[in-house]
């Protein structure tokens, strides 16, 4: 008899976003009085930049000719030189020295944040910020590192509360030092961005305890305030304790195109073993690379034309964030985020919980949000809204919400 991975059976219900989808479909079946506006799942709505499209079209033409056809990508890090070099140079322009062969291109930061666990022992103690992007928790639960779910949290994880009282950035844990530490900045879902000093505290802690920081900077392009690090490798000491994940999904609208990259410094070792070498072995065994056409499109993001076009789209979304933040604040709600990230973290009205407010907004305003409880215990009492809708939908959603409060 084939035996299944019993850890999957420990997962409570479904993944957060499918549960949102189930509730939304049930409401739609009741014939809502007006069209739904979706500000829940963080999917983008604006098209790919013209420079990206042009590069992909040209690459597709190349694939139609024997002389320029490409098969398996057998180059370093499952990435063609032109993309690795473009990524390397973008770091260098920001004052960060990354070697091109420390860059591994993949089909998404979500995949990498989960798959990175393959190179670590199942016995590692994992710490997650709370609230947290569910992928960090669920993939470690699937791998057997999370213990049991007690109805509120996993018994084997270290939860690092991120609350309004601590500025939505965690303090160092008081007990046993975790081996793996997930940090996301700018943060999904709270929208908070870590300062240099905050990150330095964690880098020093990780180096002192031989921990590894798994740093998700998928939203770094949305940082607007000066002095906020875009990369953990801006912090002294990070190269010996951190792995960084980045994505083209929200930066350049690749949610349906799929491309991301992970940076692992060569000097990052644990137990005398190079984590760079382990990840290279893992990727070479389980992954054949992102399609050539997509990699050409990703490289175009770093051209002067691509940078200008992508920035215009990011500015569009951040204007949406400002509309949501200003509008909900005027309605009397306590609102966070929306300055360095495309997410608004909104406290629910007194006397309600996050799923209750989600349902109220869905049924009375026909607006889809994300309940904070789905991001962990400290997410209770909040909802998340995304700025990725159209300008018209964003404005209309804010007016609807204000009308029912």
């Amino acid at each position: 008899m084939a035996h299944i991975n019993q850890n999957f059976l420990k997962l409570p219900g479904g993944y957060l976003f499918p549960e949102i989808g189930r509730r939304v479909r049930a409401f739609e079946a009741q014939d809502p009085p007006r069209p739904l506006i979706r500000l829940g799942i963080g999917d983008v709505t604006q098209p790919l930049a013209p420079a990206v499209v042009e590069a992909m079209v040209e690459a597709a033409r190349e694939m139609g000719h024997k002389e320029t056809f490409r098969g398996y990508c057998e180059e370093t890090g499952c990435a063609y030189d032109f993309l690795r070099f473009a990524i390397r140079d973008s770091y260098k322009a920001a004052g960060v020295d990354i070697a091109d062969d420390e860059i591994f291109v993949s089909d998404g930061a979500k995949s990498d944040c989960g798959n990175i666990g393959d190179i670590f022992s199942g016995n590692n103690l994992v710490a997650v910020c709370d609230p947290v992007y569910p992928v960090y928790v669920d993939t470690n639960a699937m791998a057997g590192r999370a213990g049991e779910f007690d109805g509120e949290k996993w018994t084997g994880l270290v939860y690092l509360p991120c609350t309004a009282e601590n500025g939505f950035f965690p303090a160092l844990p008081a007990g046993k030092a975790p081996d793996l530490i997930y940090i996301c900045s700018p943060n999904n879902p709270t929208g908070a961005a870590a300062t240099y000093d905050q990150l330095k505290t964690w880098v020093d802690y990780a180096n002192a305890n031989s921990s590894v920081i798994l740093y998700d900077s998928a939203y770094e392009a949305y940082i607007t305030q000066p002095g906020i690090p875009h990369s953990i490798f801006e912090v002294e000491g990070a190269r010996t304790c951190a792995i960084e994940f980045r994505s083209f999904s929200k930066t350049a609208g690749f949610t349906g195109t799929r491309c991301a990259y992970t940076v692992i410094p060569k000097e990052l070792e644990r137990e005398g073993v190079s984590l760079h070498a382990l990840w290279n072995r893992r990727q070479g065994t389980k992954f054949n690379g992102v399609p050539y056409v997509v990699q050409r499109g990703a490289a175009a993001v770093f051209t002067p034309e691509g940078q200008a076009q992508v920035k215009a789209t990011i500015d569009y979304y951040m204007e949406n964030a400002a509309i949501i933040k200003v509008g909900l604040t005027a309605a009397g709600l306590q609102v966070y985020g929306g300055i360095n990230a495309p997410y608004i973290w909104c406290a629910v009205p007194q006397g309600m919980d996050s799923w209750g407010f989600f349902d109220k907004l869905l049924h009375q305003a026909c607006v889809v949000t994300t309940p904070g409880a789905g991001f962990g215990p400290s997410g209770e009492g909040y909802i998340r809204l995304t700025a990725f809708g159209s300008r018209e939908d964003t404005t209309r959603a804010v007016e609807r919400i204000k009308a029912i409060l």
Side-chain angles (χ1 to χ4, degrees), residues 13-25 41 110 355:
Y15 183 59
L16 169 62
F17 298 111
E19 170 60 19
I20 290 173
R22 185 193 68 77
R23 294 195 183 204
V24 170
R25 288 191 297 273
I41 296 176
K110 179 179 182 178
W355 277 108

Side-chain angles (χ1 to χ4, degrees), residues 30 38 94 98 106 183 186 282 301 323 327 398-399:
Q30 302 173 18
R38 301 174 186 272
I98 297 293
S106 74
I183 296 177
R282 189 270 177 201
V301 170
I323 290 171
V398 170
E399 292 306 314

Side-chain angles (χ1 to χ4, degrees), residues 39 131 162 164 168 187 189-192 321 323-338 342-350 352-358 361 367 369-373 375 378-386 397-398 401-402 405:
L39 300 182
C162 298
F168 299 105
N187 184 265
T190 67
I323 290 171
I324 298 171
K325 188 178 183 73
V326 170
L328 298 189
T329 300
L333 297 174
Q334 185 66 55
V335 180
Y336 306 92
Y343 294 118
I344 302 297
W345 191 237
C346 176
V348 306
Q350 189 172 4
M352 300 190 73
D353 61 19
S354 58
W355 277 108
F357 194 44
F358 166 88
L361 295 178
V367 173
T369 60
T370 306
F375 295 105
S378 293
E380 179 55 76
Y382 295 87
I383 59 164
R384 190 195 74 176
L385 299 94
T386 80
V398 170
I401 293 172
K402 290 167 66 175
L405 292 179

Side-chain angles (χ1 to χ4, degrees), residues 124-137:
N124 279 309
L125 180 63
V126 178
V128 295
C129 293
D130 174 32
V132 63
Y133 180 42
V135 170
Y136 311 154
V137 172

